[in-house]
Amino acid sequence: MLNKILIIDDDELVCQSLKKILIKLGYQTEYTTEADFALDKIEQFDPDLILLDIYLTTMNGLDLLKEIHSKYFNIPVIMITAFADVNIAVKAMKLGATEFLLKPIDIDQLKITIDKAITTKNLKAEVERLSEIVKEDILTKEYFGKSSKIQKVVNAVEKLAKSPDTTILIEGESGTGKEMIAKFIHQNSPRKDGPFIRINCSAIPRELAESELFGHEKGAFTGALQKTKMGKFELASGGTILLDEIAELSPEMQAKLLRVLQEKKYFRLGGEKEIEVDVRVLAATNKKLEDEVKKGNFREDLFYRLNVGQVTVPPLRERKEDIPFLAYSFLQEFAKKFDKQIKGFDAGALEILTEYPWKGNIRELRNVIERVTLLLEEDEVKEKHLHFLKSGVAESAVSEDKFILKIPAKGIAIDVVLKKLIEDTLRITNGNQVKAAKILGLSRSKLRYRMEQLGIEVTKNIQHN
């Protein structure tokens, strides 16, 4: 369907000329020269955007703008005028105008402005429609976004989920949401009423991996003091287990896992009784597991056992249309967490978020929104609040995946590094120690202790430099 544009201008010739231009540009267009009946025309035509002249014969365009915005706040209004007046332009923007164009209107600029305004309107409408989804514990297909790439993945895993036992390999870059895909599979499977257990294989010390996965008996190894410890497979009985970062398992554990997948049985470490297991196995990795097999880092037979069903989660840069919804959902989450009333993003902020490359994917986006929400003192995230992304590199405090520490060739004392880190964080927060402590992952008392230890004082210099 063509986007509909309504022109409100008391000059018949201007209206006819604009209408011809807009029709050629591909818009369905109508106009009215009678400002007094403009609201009725809006009701009848239901436009996607309004072009409104400021100087009307029977009514001030700003007064009409105020009426339009109060009744049809979701319709973007572009003000047009033959007279450049900064004060009027500012007033129009405060009253809700999307843009301010001068006559004679440049056609290319007009099209760019209209398309941007309509795109922003559609994005906001979509965000509002989907925003309630993030409040639910049960994941729906819409939770992941509306792009064709992610929906293709979700449709595939929805079908794979119907089987109670099929193993599924989930591949994708770090931060793409592989764990949420795994949860979606569990919630749409016959095992949905059973437990969902996740274990990060890269975070388990090699010597404890077998105990973590399969449990142990008392005395099985030094430190095994309790009589029996249930492993993650036993805890997941009747449900689903996600083996995250599966590529990091040692060759020994790969062999033991293969036996469990084949026979559905295992022994606890140090145990003599064989335990039968009823669990569905999902595996996730940020590596290409087939390549790891070729390198000799991963067992080929285990790869084929895991790869019965296989999905690849696309990176965020390949599904940019999902960014506004994800950003808004994170904004809701952190606004609630930090007890703030934030209504959303302005058009400039949405544009920055959409164009940023997001090498850390959804995890990086989430970290950025958390930082911005924590520091925000206004009721809307604006373009200026995201200027640190415009350089193409997020500040080190934003993303846990992107911290870079440059050490001088001659070396540097650790206290100097800590002092610099704390002082920079205090500058970001304008000296607010509570916010600085949250960014650094410290309690306020520990931050104060470090400040005293390093001789840091919250001065005007730290607050405003």
Side-chain angles (χ1 to χ4, degrees):
M1 292 179 63
L2 298 178
N3 287 309
K4 298 190 290 185
I5 298 177
L6 176 64
I7 304 164
I8 304 174
D9 194 314
D10 57 5
D11 188 322
E12 180 81 25
L13 291 177
V14 168
C15 287
Q16 291 179 0
S17 176
L18 272 175
K19 182 176 180 178
K20 288 179 182 178
I21 291 170
L22 292 171
I23 289 174
K24 285 182 180 180
L25 290 175
Y27 305 109
Q28 183 181 346
T29 308
E30 290 192 12
Y31 69 84
T32 178
T33 59
E34 300 180 63
D36 292 336
F37 299 101
L39 295 178
D40 293 334
K41 187 70 175 179
I42 293 171
E43 185 72 31
Q44 295 167 9
F45 186 50
D46 188 24
D48 295 298
L49 180 138
I50 296 170
L51 291 176
L52 173 61
D53 189 40
I54 284 184
Y55 296 102
L56 302 169
T57 305
T58 59
M59 181 184 294
N60 186 306
L62 293 179
D63 292 335
L64 181 55
L65 169 64
K66 192 173 181 180
E67 285 189 51
I68 292 172
H69 194 65
S70 65
K71 194 170 182 181
Y72 304 100
F73 62 90
N74 60 325
I75 302 178
V77 179
I78 297 174
M79 305 299 294
I80 52 177
T81 182
F83 306 99
D85 189 321
V86 174
N87 291 328
I88 291 178
V90 170
K91 190 172 181 181
M93 301 300 270
K94 286 183 177 180
L95 289 172
T98 302
E99 276 293 348
F100 192 91
L101 297 179
L102 288 175
K103 297 177 183 177
I105 297 173
D106 180 270
I107 295 175
D108 291 337
Q109 183 61 37
L110 176 64
K111 180 166 176 54
I112 290 170
T113 304
I114 289 174
D115 287 347
K116 184 177 179 181
I118 291 176
T119 299
T120 301
K121 174 201 170 189
N122 292 339
L123 284 173
K124 287 183 176 180
E126 183 67 13
V127 164
E128 288 172 8
R129 185 181 73 82
L130 297 174
S131 62
E132 290 301 312
I133 295 172
V134 299
K135 298 178 182 178
E136 300 295 332
D137 292 331
I138 302 300
L139 302 177
T140 65
K141 293 170 70 171
E142 290 83 2
Y143 174 90
F144 299 93
K146 64 175 182 176
S147 67
S148 59
K149 285 200 170 186
I150 194 62
Q151 282 299 309
K152 184 177 180 180
V153 170
V154 175
N155 288 333
V157 298
E158 188 177 39
K159 294 176 183 177
L160 291 170
K162 302 305 179 186
S163 166
D165 301 307
T166 302
T167 54
I168 300 174
L169 177 61
I170 308 168
E171 293 185 330
E173 295 178 10
S174 293
T176 50
K178 297 185 291 294
E179 182 180 349
M180 302 311 289
I181 289 291
K183 284 183 179 178
F184 181 78
I185 292 171
H186 172 71
Q187 291 176 357
N188 286 274
S189 77
R191 295 177 177 270
K192 63 184 178 182
D193 294 327
F196 175 82
I197 302 292
R198 171 190 177 268
I199 184 165
N200 187 340
C201 299
S202 66
I204 313 171
R206 180 170 292 204
E207 62 275 12
L208 296 178
E210 186 172 355
S211 172
E212 283 295 311
L213 288 175
F214 308 124
H216 66 253
E217 300 290 349
K218 182 179 180 181
F221 56 89
T222 304
L225 303 177
Q226 64 188 81
K227 184 177 180 181
T228 299
K229 177 192 173 183
M230 295 174 67
K232 293 295 192 292
F233 269 84
E234 207 167 343
L235 291 171
S237 181
T240 306
I241 188 167
L242 168 64
L243 301 176
D244 203 2
E245 303 303 342
I246 186 76
E248 305 306 317
L249 277 183
S250 68
E252 296 80 10
M253 286 308 302
Q254 290 179 33
K256 291 181 183 292
L257 176 60
L258 178 62
R259 179 178 182 271
V260 174
L261 290 174
Q262 289 174 335
E263 301 180 14
K264 306 294 184 182
K265 297 177 182 178
Y266 65 88
F267 291 94
R268 289 198 192 103
L269 186 60
E272 297 179 356
K273 180 183 177 183
E274 198 168 36
I275 298 170
E276 291 191 15
V277 61
D278 174 28
V279 64
R280 181 186 200 160
V281 176
L282 306 178
T285 176
N286 60 7
K287 296 181 178 179
K288 201 67 174 159
L289 217 51
E290 192 170 5
D291 293 341
E292 294 300 302
V293 171
K294 292 176 182 177
K295 294 175 186 176
N297 296 331
F298 201 83
R299 292 181 64 113
E300 186 174 19
D301 47 5
L302 179 56
F303 167 68
Y304 288 122
R305 177 65 66 171
L306 293 170
N307 199 38
V308 178
Q310 193 270 343
V311 292
T312 301
V313 186
L316 199 53
R317 63 182 174 275
E318 292 181 7
R319 50 186 185 106
K320 290 185 175 183
E321 57 266 53
D322 293 330
I323 292 173
F325 165 61
L326 293 170
Y328 190 85
S329 68
F330 294 142
L331 185 68
Q332 282 190 318
E333 175 189 345
F334 292 118
K336 183 177 180 180
K337 179 179 178 180
F338 301 135
D339 193 25
K340 293 189 173 184
Q341 297 295 322
I342 306 174
K343 61 185 180 182
F345 304 86
D346 72 4
L350 283 174
E351 185 175 357
I352 290 175
L353 290 172
T354 303
E355 294 306 315
Y356 186 71
W358 300 115
K359 293 180 181 179
N361 293 294
I362 296 172
R363 185 183 298 125
E364 184 185 7
L365 173 62
R366 188 176 188 276
N367 290 341
V368 166
I369 300 302
E370 180 177 14
R371 173 189 184 273
V372 170
T373 308
L374 176 63
L375 300 178
L376 195 65
E377 300 294 344
E378 301 177 39
D379 65 352
E380 184 178 48
V381 180
K382 299 178 180 177
E383 182 177 353
K384 65 180 180 181
H385 301 130
L386 295 168
H387 275 172
F388 63 90
L389 292 178
K390 277 197 165 183
S391 63
V393 181
E395 295 175 19
S396 60
V398 169
S399 172
E400 62 193 21
D401 292 336
K402 293 210 164 279
F403 183 82
I404 299 173
L405 178 63
K406 293 183 179 179
I407 301 175
K410 295 181 179 180
I412 189 170
I414 187 66
D415 283 355
V416 175
V417 176
L418 288 173
K419 186 174 182 180
K420 173 68 173 169
L421 179 61
I422 293 173
E423 287 179 342
D424 286 351
T425 307
L426 287 167
R427 285 192 185 95
I428 291 172
T429 63
N430 291 321
N432 188 311
Q433 293 177 31
V434 174
K435 291 181 179 179
K438 285 183 178 179
I439 290 173
L440 293 170
L442 301 172
S443 64
R444 187 183 181 189
S445 60
K446 186 168 286 189
L447 175 63
R448 290 179 66 85
Y449 168 76
R450 288 290 188 187
M451 289 172 63
E452 291 174 8
Q453 187 184 46
L454 299 170
I456 300 172
E457 295 182 7
V458 183
T459 63
K460 290 182 179 179
N461 189 47
I462 285 181
Q463 291 179 14
H464 301 294
N465 278 3

